[in-house]
Amino acid sequence: MAAHLKKRVYEEFTKVVQQQHDDLSSKKLRLTKPSKSAALHVDLCKATSPADALQYLLQFARKPVEVESVEGVVRILLEHYYKENDASVRLKIASLLGLLSKTAGFSPDCIMDDAINTLQNEKSHQVLAQLLDTLLVIGTKLPDNPSVRMRLVEVACKHLTDSSHGVRNKCLQLIGCLGPVEKGVTKEAESQAAKDVQKIIGDHFNDQDPRVRTAAIKAMLQLHERGLKLQQAIYSQACKLLADDYEQVRSAAVQLIWVLSQLYPESIVPIPSSNEEIRLVDDAFGKICHMVSDGSWVVRVQAAKLLGSMQQVSSHFLEQTLDKKLMSDLRRKRTAHERAKELYSSGEFSSGRKWGDDAPKEEIDTGAVNLIESGACGAFVHGLEDEMYEVRIAAVEALCMLAQSSPSFAEKCLDFLVDMFNDEIEEVRLQSIHTMRKISHNITLREDQLDTVLAVLEDSSRDIREALHELLCCTNVSTKEGIHLALVELLKNLTKYPTDRESIWKCLKFLGSRHPTLVLPLVPELLSTHPFFDTPEPDMDDPAYIAVLVLIFNAAKSCPTMPALFSDHTFRHYAYLRDSLSHLVPPLRLPGRKLVSAPVSPSITPHEDPSQQFLHQSLERVYNLQHLDPQGIQELLEFTIRDLQRLGELQSELAGMADFTATYLQCQLLLIKALQEKLWNVAAPLYLKQNALASAAAKQILEETYKMEFMYSGVESRQVVIIHHMRLQAKALQLIVTARTTRGVEPLFGMCEKFLQEVDSFQRCFISELPHMQGSFVDKLLDLMPRLVTSKPSEVVKILQTTLRQSTFLHLPLPEQLHRATANIIEPTGESDNPLRFTSGLVVALDVDATLEHVQDPQGTVKVQVLYPDGQAQLIHPKPADFRNPGPGRHRLITQVYLSHTAWTEPCQIEVRLLLAYNSNRSKASARNPKSTWSESLEALPPSENGIEGTIPFSKPVKVYIMPKPARR
Amino acid sequence: MPEIKVTPLGAGQDVGRSCILVSIAGKNVMLDCGMHMGYNDDRRFPDFSYITQNGRLTDFLDCVIISHFHLDHCGALPYFSEMVGYDGPIYMTHPTKAICPILLEDYRKITVDKKGETNFFTSQMIKDCMKKVVAVHLHQTVQVDEELEIKAYYAGHVLGAAMFQIKVGCESVVYTGDYNMTPDRHLGAAWIDKCRPDLLISESTYATTIRDSKRCRERDFLKKVHETVERGGKVLIPVFALGRAQELCILLETFWERMNLKAPIYFSTGLTEKANHYYKLFITWTNQKIRKTFVQRNMFEFKHIKAFDRAFADNPGPMVVFATPGMLHAGQSLQIFRKWAGNEKNMVIMPGYCVQGTVGHKILSGQRKLEMEGRQILEVKMQVEYMSFSAHADAKGIMQLIRQAEPRNVLLVHGEAKKMEFLKQKIEQEFHVNCYMPANGETTTIFTNPCIPVDISLGLLKREAAIGPVPDAKKPKLMHGTLLMKDNSFRLVSPEQALKELGLAEHQLRFTCRVHIQDPRKEHETVLRVYNHLKGVLKDYSVQHLPDGSITVESILIQATAHSEDQGTKVLLVSWTYQDEELGSYLTSLLKKGLPQSTA
């Protein structure tokens, strides 16, 4: 009866509410202009069936809603919500509410009460879940309103008893995202609540629905992520979840255990079935290791990944992960460890390598042997042998991380890593080679291991071989046989794959300098010298011979006795190689020869590099002497540019810096030269030729400035200002020249205006840098700006001319690191005399292989250009996947370029080169340090229309001989 | 007590001749039907007369399941179905069905054509037998009849090997066949879900072995082969035509390609080509790598491995030969072995298990002088190596499978008794489940405790669930109702409905009890006192004092009359129905204690 009564009351109540809402909304509608909400309202009222209404709502959802009208729309939606009988429409409304509350700038606290109210009478589980989702959105939009959050959490707690898993799921998610995390806040109640949240979530670890269990664990993890310290008591609960029937629960539980092990690594937990205790992190490690042999590969990947980050685990546990045979429960180490060892040396288990070693021996105490609860045992052995390569990769990664923190473990895992070099999936092989390189400082390779490693050199994949070369660069080898073996294998590799030349030489360089004493006894054999007989002089151009010499010379650097073993021609070859391959051959102190480089011995290196000093000195000289007579300046600049260019050639590490400054000075020189033409005051038409010179100079300066801005990595905003300033000067020059050469004022108006715009945008962009630019062109120009804006073009030109002349020369500060982007096309070599023949009209694929250095974002900027003899140029954008990143600042482009042309009568050469594309809007500096004030102001700018796109060639062109044949009929 | 009975006819504490009879909930299933490699007499086939002395086997067996195509698991099948006589369904996976007849035919040829045996099954019999085979897919639930269903799980081991779950009602048995828990070059690892069978019948070939990492073994193998070939020696690898052979082929093929070796590799012909064809076809049954790369190149299209001709054995120079059979007990491998045994440069690599009595077993256990047929003495000078490539689960793998499936009982077959004993101990101690290892012909009985599903009407369920605390799905809950067993179905219904359905009238059962109370007062006063007392004690119940002088507590009626003889003693008549038994007995015991003395 009471229930019936209540129902009646509700019915009546709801009716009343509807009535009110109707009135309210109609009032509102009259107030506001016909807006979105009005249209929606009309539509919804028109809707005759739920399907119709749903259609309207779907249409409505496609369009964005302005911030101001959100609240109105929400009200209308809510009103319809109460009226609507169809659950699917209510569901859509609920989801729309969530979407609307996400609108940027809208503060949803005003609709929160209504949203909570809707929950009360809702019967449909789906709609309830959706409403809770909406509440979650609202809650996340109000991060600093604890009372709202508390309220939402309470609402969620109330619905936790719902019979639908979806609702419980959402409740848990909400609690996880909004539950209070601040502990020890002033109020007692709040800390109480915080405790409760964990307990509430924890209670749902045993929910009947696996999805809810997963959600509970995820909510717990969410709380952890938001900074709540989870209680240790959860640990035992989480451990039970590891045996769950459902993989997503297990997967989440593994994460939770990992989190707890990081929170309480040192606390002690008891081992069930014995009265001993171990550290929690060890226990957790054992449990996660166990999951590496789980039935679901998703869980296995998860477990293997997490193992890598458990560095606090004790070393004896860690080492067990590599031991499959040691099956006894090592947790009770104090009591059983020694005995267990004896058991295995007595061979209880056979290894499967020898026949019959598993014949049963005398009775043994099986109590000590534990086949499966052995925790960490052999986890990595399992992981590395897993069927799914995803698991194997995760295991290799984990191995890498653990080995980096524990040298003894690194030593032990070596065998396993070496074994992984023979994996059937290339990705796994590559990963294990990289891993090995990362831990190489901890290890020394034994000969048999080296053997396996070197066997991989025959791999047909270039990535693998190169990774291996990198690995060999930093490996320690224990014996001279090892070195010899490595050399022999590398030479084999060289003959098989001649393109690996550079990388093999580099590898031998490091191999030699690391093991001078091991190389020493090999020298006579390697150089094939004989105590009595002269041997023929080897061919100097043989890459294999050069490889041997690189090894020997680098070893000789720290082994002064070695040169005594050299024969005459070796010394000659040394001199030649030192000059031609200076990056591979170190300076040597040779007996009987005075070498120029001898004094430049290590004693100086601690001080500043002399060449660097030279660079700075010469620059200072230029900057100080700005008030000399123009002739003097020009000469000085010319000399300095020459010096800098030579310096760049000699000192590879300073090349970027030297080139950069040289380019800048070159621009300056051009500018001065152009201004020095003493013809400016004569009528223009007479001096067309000179004008041509000046305009050419302006053009060149522009080009150079783009190069400076986009081709160097490490350019900072300070440099960018100077570069832009130089560009501005060039544009001014251009304007003056055009003003002189063209008749009529009309075109000048436009040009002047454009120029002034540019000055303006320059000012806006670099406002913070302006104080450093006193006396400069821009500085002066800005002073005159009011006058410029009002004056006629001819006057503007005049002003510009004088300012340009009077302006001083800006000091170019040098950044710490500056590198010029370079590219080197390895393939095609351009040496082939055999033309590439293909049928005209069809396509031929040309393999292009190039190394790029210091190129940022090569995927976006590097293009391949093909120039046909008829002047036709083709620009090819390589796929992002064609770029590999073998090391910091280095990239490798391996791609295919498709060529096609109509038929030719005879073969001809095409040119292939790499270009660096740039776009002056998307300046590099802004991408790199978005926090600098300069770039912020730039970003605030609307994208200017005059953003210039262009390309800079940055590699030597390579010629390819091709021959498109006419198609045979 | 329901029970599952298991009787191995073969493979009980033994390897070879796998044949296990299982009777579960009235259904009889035969698992595998293999031959024994060590015998050439009657002992090579299971003793089917155990099932029935005379009469068709079809009447006694509901189905036969073959786990994979190895002869020790399917070798006796044509004999069993055609010569002994069985017409029921035989279940196997598609690859097994494809490859099995090839092997049977080969086996028949060796026995009949080479050894000249008569009274053996014929080619036609093999064909007829295969017609009775029903092929199943992985994870496909096949209804053998209304109650018996089977389901196949991936087992690794060889192409098409499967583990089978046999289920009747809630009772189930999982038979593993042979399986492998570590993936190899061409197959993945066995996998089963948490099906919690009543009994897991597992093979235990490597019960005491925990093998090294697979990669170590591979590397060792390749190194040994490589060294011998470089020395100019010949390498003989006896294999079974199918299974391990393909793995080793892939291994050597990739190695040859990588190292650019030129020495020829041969594979004894015959079955191989046909079989390789099937390997190419059943790509979905192989491992991840092969499945993913077969579009570019099918791994089973070998470049370096060629067909073997008998004449090649005498060729000079190094070579590698895969020859059948794997235990060197007959055929081509034995012939080649005889030719090469005398040279110490040569090498024989035994990649798997060898049954006692075979030449393989002899040379592995160190015999250097072998007595061959015709009293010849063969001196073995060549190197003998053993590399365990056999794709059986090792001890840890078996434990892992048990952990995955969570069975209530484990039964070990297909292994040596002594080793089984060890593993049995481990299993019992680790999982606290019973473990059995019956010998051939010995029956093991396992008692099960199957759950019986009962239908319950929704109304009753809701009504009962509303009583008491919120239901927790994980905990058992007590319910009141009437169990109706009608037409072989169980239903739980409310008592009223049960009465209605059965057409019975409802009978009321009332308990009446007299309690004597010493109370000198008038009757109605006594009643009042009792009323007050009860009201005070039973606060949660409705206690009513009716105008006719009786008290009701819920449905319990209490009346007081003076004792006919002694007026000071009042007799309280307490009467309650059967349903209120609990409250009624409580009330009587309460009243028996007497009323409180002072009622001030």
Side-chain angles (χ1 to χ4, degrees), chain A residues 689-708:
Chain A
K689 206 171 143 200
Q690 272 73 20
N691 276 330
L693 192 141
S695 67
K699 217 175 185 176
Q700 200 185 338
I701 294 173
L702 277 181
E703 261 174 40
E704 298 288 341
T705 55
Y706 283 121
K707 271 193 198 167
M708 283 171 80

Side-chain angles (χ1 to χ4, degrees), chain A residues 270-286:
Chain A
I271 308 173
S273 81
S274 86
N275 47 5
E276 281 162 59
E277 296 175 323
I278 47 167
R279 294 161 70 217
L280 190 140
V281 66
D282 288 346
D283 191 50
F285 187 76

